[in-house]
Amino acid sequence: MMRFNDIKREAGFVFAHRQFKLTLLVVFLLSTAALWSGHAEMQAQQATIERLLEKDTQEREAVLNHQSSYGMVAYYAFHLTYAPPSPLAFAVVGERDVFPWKHRVRMLALEGQIYESDTDNPELAFLGRFDFAFVVSVLLPLFIILLLYDLKAKEREARRFDLLNVTARNSHAVWTSRTLVTLVPLALVTLLPFVAFAIVNGASLSSILLACVIVLGTISVWSAIVLAIGAAQRFAKYSATHLASLMLGVWLITTVIVPVTGHTVINAAVETPEGGDIVLTQREAVNGAWDKPVEETWEKFIETHPQWADYTAYDPKRDGSFNWKWYFAFQQVGDESASELSNAYQQSTIRKNQLAGYVSLLSPSLLTQRLLSNTASTNVQSMIDYENKVRAFHASLREFYYQQLFAAPEFSKSSLKRLPQFTTTSQFTTPMNTQENTNEK
Amino acid sequence: MIDQTIKTICAEQWRYWLRTKVATTVLILGSVLTLTALVINTFHIEEAAHAREHLQGEAEQRFLSQPDKHPHRMVHYGHYVFRTPTPLSVIEPGVDTYTGNAIFLEGHRQNSAMFAQQRESAGLTRFSSLTPSFLALVLAPLFIILIGYGSVSREREAGTLTLLLTQGASRWQLVLGKLVALMLASSIFLLPLLLACLYVAFSNESALVVTLFCLGYALYFLLWAVVVTACSTLFEKSSASFTVLIVIWMSACILLPRMGSSVATSVEPSIGKLEADFKVEEKLRSLGDGHDVNDPAFVTLKQDLLDKYNVDSVDDLPVNFRGIVAQYSEQRQAVVINEFAESRMQEELAQARIARQFGWLSPTVALRSFSTLLAGTSIETHHRFLREAEILRMQFVQGLNKVHVEKLDYKLDMNRNSSEEAADKAVVEASNWAVLSEFSFEPEAPMARLSSAAMYCLQLLLWVGVAVLLLKLAVRRLNP
């Protein structure tokens, strides 16, 4: 049984150490600095999206005003797509600095556009991001080790150990309450700034609570590891620093060795098509089409778009000097020729992510990182969802323009009002495969 | 010659390490890790180099084997360039996995690099990576600490320090003996790295660069050995020395590099490519559409040309006016595009430089800048790749435009959309595709890399100086 008096006494002891107060201050500053930098980053991303949206509308208006045929509009008009940061993204930047979160797409073959990434400075990305998730998953365990490794040994060295055990009503209670008065303040200095930033960013209560639970879970797991090593009978004769080395060893294996081994094994196990192959295949199909008989393109296009079989006829007088229908048809065929590779590329990313999930069960730090980035929707899946949203949006563009190009060739600016708009919420049509989308209609 | 007392103390220390589990485990773990990392990374880089060279060859061959066609079709057919990794990226892959390694080159547009490999790691390697440089920069110092934190303080705790000093060993001899022992231990982690450098030196990298690269890492290891020995001498208790060293390691190796990159983003925010593209387009619109000879932007160009050849209409010009317009507008577009590309690269460079200033606060950052710059895996090399790709782009696009001007009749060209036969006539021979020159990417010249790395070498040397001073102070304060 712990009593309030025990806790009060231990708190007195623990807080009397300058080292402890200093550690708390450092953790508080690190947590705040990480949160602030993530917050600033997300504010900047949000602002970028707003500026881009405004520019995008202006630019498209300007382009639309100059065009006189659907083909020209489709060729020149770009559309902005983006994945806004979630309210919790400030705490876990996650995959947002590796996967693209903004694109401008037009009606041309999508495979040539979707892999373009407008990512941040690669040198900074490579140095690593200093976000809250990093503080919690990588640094916090080290602080826990530093605070708890000599929990008992410190007293032994000061020759207070036996005295403490004798004077306390219950010898267990001394260590339990001492651990608690160490960990509770540690959790508080980590989480209080987080909660403050989360409220400022408008995160939902449930997501804040979930993130707090994950952080508390991390603290508990690491405290358990540290205390278990410290209390293990077989290490009873080890010195405190010797024990600390063991604890650091556990940190090293779980935080560094498990992930890099996992990465190497996963990369070897999951076959990924070479990115270069996708784009070369697509280019060959798109640009090669100029030199192929027109019928060849139509044949392939009609296979997937039978509804336009009777509309392929081309009237230079009406459609202008250039056959836009055929032009966009071979863009579509180009995408289709690369779609198998492209699907395989995405599938391999998903598969790797799945396997990484299993690997993270062996590494508390990875698990924390992944759970937090799931909570903040900055995980691989969210980035893939965004990519598929872009694909679906592009499919809806195609659907719109095909309707205009094939069925209603009379150009009218008013019809452009029905141009699909990218939104982050709507699902457009079924994601994953552009081919199927256009098939359904 | 190292004197006998130092030798004895050093040998004693080794005997102690070989007896204790922690030290032997760390030594074995460290060397196995470095070796594994080297082997895996070497295979990986060689494979990547091979794949990219192959793709490059294939892209070129496909370009050249295109049939007779309209030259502007080839401008849009475009070309791919791939960046092959540099020899030293076997040890220091640097930004290579974070930048794309393929760029599509086409007329009227400057595309960004595609397919950053980091995407494929599913977040596993965000903190750590199995690269020799990560092991050397981040883990090796931890290993050195684990082995050496108690080397002097243990003697004091056991009471043997007084014994040693009274038996005639000087304080310097004692501390140097411990230091030499620790340096020998850390060279076990360094050795695989040096072997890898030897391998690189025998492939095709400048010997001077490789030597300095090795020296940089050797200095870094020495630095840590000195710091660890100094702390062990300064603090009375092993546990105090241990705690302080772990805190130093956390800040220098883990915290400060990341803080550097966070500070750099907030001090020098950069607008992304998309946003810059809008500005580019705004400017480009005023330059006219190169596909349309009747664009008002080309009125003066037309008049100048008519005056020059003293004819009344473009039909009578000895050159293809459509080609002239394409050439002219591509040139003007390129000026705008490159102005923005250049300012974007400058922004990125400014950010990188801010992050590298953290080398004055952490030797890890100093060595990282030094080693990426020497290895040619820094942002500078990536920028050079972008610039060279742009030169190639302009060269083949303008080459094709020149063919368009000189070898394609204007009337045939304007008439090309009237019928299929007319389209078949508006082509040039495939032999003209030879305007494409081969692309092979090489890192900067060794001297250029050396001069840009010099500053970070200075940072590193400063740190060594600080460490030596610390050691001196520790020795002076060493009392049993």
Side-chain angles (χ1 to χ4, degrees):
Chain A
M1 258 305 282
M2 270 188 293
R3 292 174 173 224
F4 179 69
N5 270 346
D6 288 338
I7 292 180
K8 207 174 136 193
R9 184 186 62 170
E10 290 310 316
F13 272 132
V14 169
F15 275 91
H17 282 281
R18 206 176 47 187
Q19 195 194 333
F20 178 67
K21 283 188 280 197
L22 203 65
T23 310
L24 285 187
L25 180 69
V26 168
V27 173
F28 178 77
L29 290 179
L30 286 178
S31 168
T32 312
L35 288 161
W36 176 79
S37 98
H39 173 76
E41 172 70 25
M42 290 311 143
Q43 293 282 320
Q45 291 194 0
Q46 200 62 266
T48 304
I49 289 173
E50 271 157 35
R51 282 197 307 272
L52 282 172
L53 273 173
E54 194 187 315
K55 278 278 176 191
D56 180 61
T57 321
Q58 279 173 10
E59 183 77 16
R60 199 167 39 252
E61 292 296 305
V63 166
L64 295 185
N65 278 332
H66 280 94
Q67 311 309 330
S68 52
S69 80
Y70 287 115
M72 303 270 268
V73 172
Y75 182 84
Y76 286 105
F78 277 96
H79 301 260
L80 179 74
T81 69
Y82 57 96
S86 74
L88 269 191
F90 72 94
V92 212
V93 178
E95 300 297 320
R96 279 184 83 81
D97 56 351
V98 183
F99 282 78
W101 49 270
K102 52 190 193 289
H103 276 298
R104 282 173 82 209
V105 293
R106 52 178 171 164
M107 250 286 269
L108 303 189
L110 184 63
E111 296 299 333
Q113 306 177 62
I114 199 138
Y115 297 111
E116 283 240 7
S117 61
D118 175 23
T119 41
D120 295 330
N121 190 336
E123 183 146 321
L124 299 187
F126 141 79
L127 286 174
R129 205 171 267 285
F130 180 60
D131 60 1
F132 183 68
F134 172 75
V135 171
V136 173
S137 65
V138 176
L139 297 183
L140 206 54
L142 290 173
F143 282 109
I144 293 173
I145 293 175
L146 280 182
L147 285 177
L148 295 183
Y149 81 91
D150 56 357
L151 184 70
K152 289 186 183 174
K154 203 160 45 191
E155 299 306 329
R156 278 205 193 93
E157 275 173 29
R159 314 224 155 117
R160 278 197 304 259
F161 187 79
D162 294 323
L163 187 73
L164 269 171
N165 272 343
V166 173
T167 53
R169 265 181 220 89
N170 174 338
S171 69
H172 273 298
V174 177
W175 307 114
T176 319
S177 46
R178 185 164 287 192
T179 310
L180 277 181
V181 293
T182 311
L183 292 178
V184 170
L186 185 72
L188 285 179
V189 292
T190 315
L191 284 176
L192 283 181
F194 166 74
V195 172
F197 273 97
I199 291 170
V200 170
N201 279 276
S204 70
L205 184 65
S206 59
S207 67
I208 298 180
L209 283 178
L210 193 56
C212 288
V213 169
I214 296 168
V215 175
L216 291 176
T218 306
I219 295 180
S220 325
V221 166
W222 277 102
S223 314
I225 292 174
V226 168
L227 294 175
I229 293 177
Q233 207 53 54
R234 55 177 300 202
F235 303 138
K237 288 204 181 113
Y238 288 18
S239 71
T241 40
H242 196 157
L243 288 176
S245 309
L246 279 177
M247 295 161 191
L248 278 176
V250 174
W251 178 86
L252 191 70
I253 287 168
T254 56
T255 310
V256 176
I257 298 182
V258 167
V260 296
T261 316
H263 168 74
T264 313
V265 171
I266 289 174
N267 261 2
V270 180
E271 204 169 316
T272 310
E274 188 77 42
D277 279 336
I278 301 176
V279 283
L280 282 180
T281 308
Q282 186 260 161
R283 170 184 80 162
E284 219 45 52
V286 169
N287 289 289
W290 288 100
D291 305 305
K292 283 184 202 140
V294 176
E295 295 74 39
E296 213 171 284
T297 296
W298 281 126
E299 214 170 277
K300 281 195 188 138
F301 180 77
I302 295 305
E303 254 174 51
T304 54
H305 297 73
Q307 69 272 36
W308 302 120
D310 301 332
Y311 295 85
T312 59
Y314 164 59
D315 176 3
K317 279 196 203 85
R318 189 192 61 199
D319 302 330
S321 63
F322 167 72
N323 188 354
W324 282 109
K325 285 195 283 197
W326 166 70
Y327 178 80
F328 288 114
F330 73 61
Q331 299 282 332
Q332 169 96 49
V333 171
D335 271 353
E336 281 160 13
S337 71
S339 76
E340 202 178 310
L341 276 175
S342 170
N343 271 338
Y345 187 74
Q346 194 185 69
Q347 286 310 315
S348 83
T349 309
I350 293 174
R351 182 84 190 118
K352 282 178 178 175
N353 183 43
Q354 224 171 34
L355 292 175
Y358 297 130
V359 172
S360 72
L361 294 176
L362 298 173
S363 159
S365 138
L366 268 186
L367 194 62
T368 309
Q369 181 81 36
R370 283 179 71 89
L371 289 175
L372 283 176
S373 85
N374 288 349
T375 318
S377 308
T378 51
N379 51 359
V380 172
Q381 193 54 50
S382 310
M383 300 324 281
I384 287 175
D385 289 345
Y386 163 64
E387 186 187 308
N388 287 332
K389 223 174 245 177
V390 179
R391 289 180 185 277
F393 174 69
H394 191 263
S396 72
L397 274 183
R398 279 187 160 151
E399 208 170 290
F400 170 81
Y401 282 116
Y402 288 156
Q403 190 69 31
Q404 310 304 322
L405 286 166
F406 287 92
E410 246 17 271
F411 182 68
S412 88
K413 281 204 169 145
S414 63
S415 67
L416 294 179
K417 292 206 174 68
R418 287 185 287 114
L419 209 59
Q421 298 285 326
F422 180 84
T423 56
T424 52
T425 43
S426 72
Q427 276 295 307
F428 311 106
T429 30
T430 16
M432 282 301 289
N433 198 329
T434 45
Q435 203 172 310
E436 280 169 18
N437 298 329
T438 31
N439 258 343
E440 281 164 10
K441 280 276 152 84
Chain B
M1 260 322 285
I2 292 179
D3 76 63
Q4 199 50 50
T5 325
I6 295 184
K7 255 190 207 165
T8 319
I9 290 170
C10 176
E12 252 337 288
Q13 183 63 33
W14 264 94
R15 220 161 286 145
Y16 170 77
W17 280 333
L18 293 177
R19 265 204 337 264
T20 50
K21 269 192 213 143
V22 175
T24 34
T25 319
V26 166
L27 283 172
I28 294 169
L29 185 69
S31 37
V32 167
L33 260 182
T34 334
L35 273 176
T36 323
L38 272 170
V39 171
I40 289 180
N41 216 42
T42 309
F43 275 118
H44 175 74
I45 298 279
E46 301 266 296
E47 202 179 62
H50 226 71
R52 293 186 211 167
E53 261 162 38
H54 173 74
L55 284 168
Q56 188 66 65
E58 188 168 305
E60 268 155 20
Q61 191 255 323
R62 283 197 187 172
F63 187 95
L64 295 175
S65 65
Q66 289 298 300
D68 295 359
K69 56 169 105 175
H70 191 285
H72 200 70
R73 295 277 165 266
M74 286 303 281
V75 168
H76 283 281
Y77 179 74
H79 183 43
Y80 278 95
V81 287
F82 298 89
R83 182 159 61 90
T84 39
T86 66
L88 272 175
S89 56
V90 166
I91 299 165
E92 174 61 279
V95 299
D96 196 68
T97 48
Y98 289 85
T99 58
N101 49 55
I103 307 185
F104 180 51
L105 309 177
E106 57 181 324
H108 331 313
R109 260 175 82 76
Q110 195 175 58
N111 294 313
S112 55
M114 297 184 275
F115 300 107
Q117 281 172 0
Q118 190 60 28
R119 265 187 70 148
E120 295 165 18
S121 80
L124 284 167
T125 55
R126 296 321 297 277
F127 167 61
S128 51
S129 56
L130 192 64
T131 61
S133 71
F134 173 80
L135 295 178
L137 283 166
V138 180
L139 291 194
L142 179 65
F143 291 158
I144 298 176
I145 291 171
L146 287 181
I147 297 177
Y149 72 89
S151 61
V152 180
S153 47
R154 183 177 51 85
E155 302 277 0
R156 181 165 20 214
E157 279 173 342
T160 42
L161 186 60
T162 330
L163 208 65
L164 279 167
L165 289 179
T166 49
Q167 274 180 350
S170 78
R171 286 186 284 186
W172 269 108
Q173 278 173 330
L174 174 77
V175 173
L176 282 183
K178 300 288 186 189
L179 178 62
V180 171
L182 192 55
M183 275 160 53
L184 286 176
S186 48
S187 67
I188 291 180
F189 314 129
L190 188 63
L191 209 60
L193 219 60
L194 299 183
L195 284 177
C197 284
L198 209 63
Y199 164 80
V200 171
F202 275 111
S203 54
N204 47 1
E205 183 59 275
S206 135
L208 182 61
V209 166
V210 177
T211 313
L212 281 174
F213 188 82
C214 289
L215 272 180
Y217 278 92
L219 267 186
Y220 183 73
F221 279 65
L222 171 76
L223 168 76
W224 278 100
V226 172
V227 168
V228 171
T229 312
C231 279
S232 179
T233 314
L234 265 179
F235 292 97
E236 269 181 38
K237 280 189 272 176
S238 290
S239 61
S241 139
F242 175 82
T243 311
V244 168
L245 282 167
I246 293 298
V247 169
I248 293 178
W249 171 76
M250 261 172 90
S251 1
C253 298
I254 310 187
L255 211 56
L256 285 166
R258 278 165 191 262
M259 287 216 150
S261 85
S262 286
V263 167
T265 358
S266 36
V267 171
E268 190 84 30
S270 98
I271 63 167
K273 182 171 186 300
L274 278 195
E275 223 173 333
D277 278 353
F278 279 117
K279 295 190 178 165
V280 173
E281 276 159 32
E282 220 167 281
K283 267 203 159 175
L284 287 185
R285 246 201 316 277
S286 64
L287 299 182
D289 179 358
H291 291 124
D292 181 7
V293 287
N294 296 318
D295 195 299
F298 307 125
V299 170
T300 358
L301 175 74
K302 188 168 160 184
Q303 199 50 53
D304 288 350
L305 219 64
L306 292 178
D307 291 348
K308 185 181 163 197
Y309 289 100
N310 203 14
V311 288
D312 297 327
S313 88
V314 284
D315 290 345
D316 300 330
L317 284 172
V319 288
N320 185 338
F321 184 59
R322 244 188 119 225
I324 299 257
V325 166
Q327 216 172 24
Y328 173 80
S329 67
E330 193 74 56
Q331 186 56 47
R332 298 224 295 171
Q333 279 178 345
V335 172
V336 175
I337 289 175
N338 283 327
E339 182 192 316
F340 278 94
E342 197 55 46
S343 77
R344 185 169 154 68
M345 286 190 247
Q346 291 307 327
E347 272 172 9
E348 283 188 348
L349 203 57
Q351 288 186 329
R353 291 216 170 108
I354 292 175
R356 290 175 193 164
Q357 290 309 310
F358 275 67
W360 302 111
L361 299 175
S362 151
T364 310
V365 178
L367 181 62
R368 175 133 267 171
S369 319
F370 183 73
S371 94
T372 50
L373 281 165
L374 274 191
T377 51
S378 64
I379 188 98
E380 279 92 338
T381 311
H382 180 61
H383 286 162
R384 230 171 45 86
F385 171 63
L386 298 179
R387 291 196 186 98
E388 279 183 17
E390 174 62 14
I391 291 171
L392 184 76
R393 182 181 84 87
M394 279 313 277
Q395 190 208 357
F396 88 83
V397 168
Q398 291 299 55
L400 289 166
N401 284 336
K402 189 159 175 274
V403 170
H404 193 174
V405 169
E406 291 168 359
K407 304 204 172 154
L408 187 63
D409 181 68
Y410 181 67
K411 272 179 230 125
L412 286 180
D413 194 7
M414 290 310 278
N415 203 28
R416 72 198 180 283
N417 288 324
S418 63
S419 69
E420 266 187 51
E421 296 88 72
D424 287 343
K425 278 185 193 157
V427 295
V428 298
E429 268 180 45
S431 61
N432 289 302
W433 310 154
V435 293
L436 184 80
S437 51
E438 272 181 25
F439 183 81
S440 82
F441 183 69
E442 302 280 330
E444 284 94 340
M447 282 326 279
R449 279 185 273 157
L450 287 178
S451 73
S452 52
M455 147 103 111
Y456 310 103
C457 183
L458 200 69
Q459 288 180 342
L460 206 57
L461 287 174
L462 174 97
W463 279 105
V464 175
V466 169
V468 170
L469 283 180
L470 189 71
L471 189 70
K472 267 181 115 168
L473 175 82
V475 171
R476 196 172 322 137
R477 289 184 38 176
L478 177 67
N479 283 312

